[in-house]
Amino acid sequence: AAGGGGESGGGGVLVVSRPTPLARSLKSAEEREAELHCSMATVWRSSKGVKHGRIRLRLQPRAATPSGEGGEGGEGGLRGEGLPKFELEAQAWSTLYDEGDVDAAFFAPLDEDDEGAAQLRCAGVWESSPYGFTLVLRSVEEVGPAGARALLPLREAELRAAAGRALDRDLFGTMDFDERKATVGVGERRERRLVFTM
């Protein structure tokens, strides 16, 4: 018979290859969101235009939540209840010192021998989002002599201008995942852009 269908003329079997189906992702939306969150939970630095000082943002990882207890609540009760914490710190020090002379811990006590030492201390909770993250401010203060505080690379007034005097407005960070950069706007119109890198 003409045609021959499934066998070659030499008697061998013609093997027809079928395309391998693409494997479907086994990760749930919650798992992907958790990975995204984890990739942001680290210490970020903003150094553009900063001399004799530093600006750092530490996004802490989310604490494990026992099954069945619900997780992040911010919808009812306190704003951001159940979310992981963050610390935003700006520091200034005398020109006689360099960063290696400054305590690396967040919110460390000021060096009493450095008349140029000052800190901005801001704390709260944060939440990841598809575009970056949201900061819910709980406290902000400046410490140190007035002259040193005036030289801080980020001021309390800039944060309160963006978040409100009562800290009742959130700050938003956008993320460039390819460049691993985060940008947070401060000031009344969020006109100052703080660019953080890992």
Side-chain angles (χ1 to χ4, degrees):
E7 296 187 359
S8 66
V13 177
L14 177 65
V15 178
V16 179
S17 67
R18 297 179 179 177
T20 303
L22 295 175
R24 297 180 62 183
S25 174
L26 299 179
K27 294 180 181 178
S28 66
E30 291 79 8
E31 289 173 323
R32 290 193 296 270
E33 195 278 334
E35 289 184 354
L36 177 66
H37 183 104
C38 186
S39 70
M40 299 181 196
T42 186
V43 175
W44 300 78
R45 293 177 59 98
S46 179
S47 56
K48 184 177 180 180
V50 178
K51 296 181 179 180
H52 305 295
R54 65 188 175 196
I55 304 174
R56 300 186 297 172
L57 171 65
R58 178 167 60 187
L59 302 178
Q60 296 189 10
R62 179 184 295 127
T65 302
S67 177
E69 291 190 6
E72 312 203 348
E75 293 297 326
L78 298 174
R79 286 170 66 240
E81 183 179 5
L83 295 177
K85 297 179 181 180
F86 80 84
E87 296 92 27
L88 173 61
E89 174 198 74
Q91 283 189 272
W93 50 78
S94 167
T95 57
L96 300 176
Y97 295 81
D98 59 34
E99 188 168 357
D101 301 318
V102 180
D103 196 323
F106 272 71
F107 303 166
L110 298 180
D111 185 346
E112 296 180 355
D113 296 326
D114 182 4
E115 296 181 354
Q119 282 183 10
L120 166 76
R121 300 171 178 175
C122 176
V125 295
W126 73 284
E127 183 175 21
S128 61
S129 69
Y131 60 83
F133 52 85
T134 300
L135 302 178
V136 180
L137 280 61
R138 294 278 177 79
S139 65
V140 57
E141 66 172 345
E142 292 180 356
V143 295
R149 296 200 309 269
L151 298 177
L152 283 168
L154 176 62
R155 302 301 307 274
E156 177 180 350
E158 293 178 281
L159 292 181
R160 290 193 181 273
R165 297 292 302 174
L167 305 180
D168 53 357
R169 296 195 299 268
D170 299 339
L171 299 186
F172 302 100
T174 57
M175 181 77 69
D176 184 330
F177 291 97
D178 293 330
E179 297 291 333
R180 301 186 75 78
K181 292 182 180 179
T183 303
V184 179
V186 297
E188 185 176 359
R189 296 179 176 82
R190 317 292 172 101
E191 66 275 4
R192 182 182 177 191
R193 303 286 181 173
L194 301 176
V195 179
F196 290 90
T197 57
M198 289 185 179

